[in-house]
Amino acid sequence: MSLPESLTEVLDGRWAHLRRNARSLLDGRFVTVPGETGEQARERISRLVREIPPEVGVAAGFPAEFGGGSDPGGSMVATETLAQVDLSLMVKAGVQWGLFGGAVYSLGTRRHHEAWIPGIVAGEVMGCFAMTETGHGSDVQRLRTTAVYDPETQTFDLHTPYEAARKDYIGNAARDGRMAVVFAQLVIGERRHGVHAFLVPIRDQDGRPMPGVTLSDAGAKAGLLGVDNGRIAFAHVTVDREMLLDRYGQVAPDGTYSSSIENDTRRFFTMLGTLVRGRVSVGGSASAAAKSALTIAVRYGEVRRQFTAPDSGEEVVLNDYLAHRRKLLTALARSYAYTFAQEQLVCDLSDALAGNEMLRELESRAAGLKAVQTQNATRTIQMCREACGGAGYLAENRLPGLKADTDVFTTFEGDNTVLLQLVGKGLLTGYRDAFGSLDGWGRATFAAEQVREMVLERTAARTLIQRLVDAVPGRGDNVGLTERGWHLSMFEEREKHLLEGAVRRLRKGAETKRDRPFDIFNDVQDHVLAAARAHVDRVVLEAFVAGIASCADEEAKALLEKVCDLYALTTIEADKGWFLEHERLTPSRAKAVTGAVHELLVELRPRMRTLVDAFAIPEAWLNAAILREEPDRQASMA
């Protein structure tokens, strides 16, 4: 087995068989077409989404009895893999089988499953996930669409009271959706029971809007041309009682409401927790797109030459320039790190779902990884575009499309700032049920009495990582810069210090601003976000360390160790100011970190092509003209 193949084996992880299936079954006809019009892209994606071979696994998350594979982890990996083929295809499939189908399965009960899941799996019932409203995106607990129950008719009156309450940016709504899972405030008599989900027909068999349903196109977008995003409004639409997805809240014929979760806030966040797979898929898909961009840029940098070296008279290959190499290799190290963190998350989530449980820690980790992976994709794809010069600006070279298609991922499935705030909140409160909304942050008793010191819980390879940390001989300048235990300790100390600082500031705010609960938290929001980012960095590093330990090939393992060194040291270097301010680094040690990074860039230069080849992205999927053409056109014309 070659070195790239050994790396591929460890990168592919538990669901390597599904990745191999996709690489062999998704041929060139599934790949994005540069220069398409919006209508052409929608027509193509609408057709192709129904032609995805079942062996690829996008519907694998549903039970086998309904046509799935009883493999939720496999469905997330399959969706992620589609992102390297065509991001519109990935989003379209994600809406159908992840969001729409996932909501029916996770929030519905047996009667909904039997009636609808087989058709959803087969692509016969195309649907929408109608949560976001024009006036409420991240704050979904306060959606304005209402569903008022009438016990005489045993129906709900679904209504959009004003324009800001219309469902907006909804995938599949403008063209293909026939059904929608609609999130609305459940009202029975004078009592509101919070947001619940309803399965609602929005088009008839001929594609015409159902009575009372207004459908419109969301308009031109920067990317994802193949996804028919639209808007939905309801004018007193009648919905049968049986169409309430009532796993967590039931309405009897006479209007009696019951739920196994009495607290409305807790019930709402429990419902959202069951839908975390979509967030996980978006994060993984963003990283998959970044890998495509890096493969194109690194391979182009191996053959494209610029400027003449004075000592040889020959033009220099782009990847030989330190500045160019630093950008690409640093991004490659992050991509490897996020690959292992994503694999760990999907494995843990799949195991939890198999055991019929959902751990709050997994929801928090999914939120944090989605935030950092989508931010990284935006940054990395732009860097790769620049690294390819003018060629990188041409649609035929894929990079502009990757940039446009992934840009929305930073707000899709949760705004990244809100998601990192969710991570910070989890660190501070341990997801106490009573503080499901931001209102709870400001309570004086919460800030002064209930914040506890967070014990840094390991998320991967606990014994190994603790052993590495314990083996570090102190924290001074005498410790080797590539000592893994030192890296882990630095990441841990930063997280712990930031968290303790946020706690202290919250307590101080509670003492001076008891009557201004919003200000108590708002004043330390920057601190909480910094703690959240530090936490995610630690989780990612621990997953990288665990991934290396799972590698059986010694040559591949040694290379992964170097890549992990680069990830850890460049992360420390990027936050050098904090480490210096808090005396975790001396000035000389900080300079030595940059020196060590430069040494790694030299060591890894011969392996740049190997590192991207290990992503195993088929040539047809890359679909970049600069990888098919001889870049030195003067030589080819001579």
Side-chain angles (χ1 to χ4, degrees), residues 141 264-274 360 363 422 425 435-437:
Q141 195 174 6
D264 289 353
T265 297
R266 182 185 172 194
R267 184 189 317 114
F268 173 73
F269 281 98
T270 299
M271 290 170 60
L272 288 190
T274 65
R360 293 293 192 183
E363 294 178 46
L422 177 68
K425 175 182 164 186
F435 300 102
S437 69

Side-chain angles (χ1 to χ4, degrees), residues 40 61 71 80 89 105 111 150 159 181 209 222 261 345 349 377-378 396 416 449 468-469 502 536 540 557:
Q40 289 171 334
D71 184 6
E80 169 192 327
L89 187 63
Y105 182 71
R111 70 175 185 278
D150 180 359
H159 187 59
V181 171
I261 305 173
L345 173 61
L349 180 57
T378 296
E396 67 177 11
N416 283 351
E449 300 169 11
L468 290 169
V469 171
V536 176
V540 170
K557 195 170 190 175

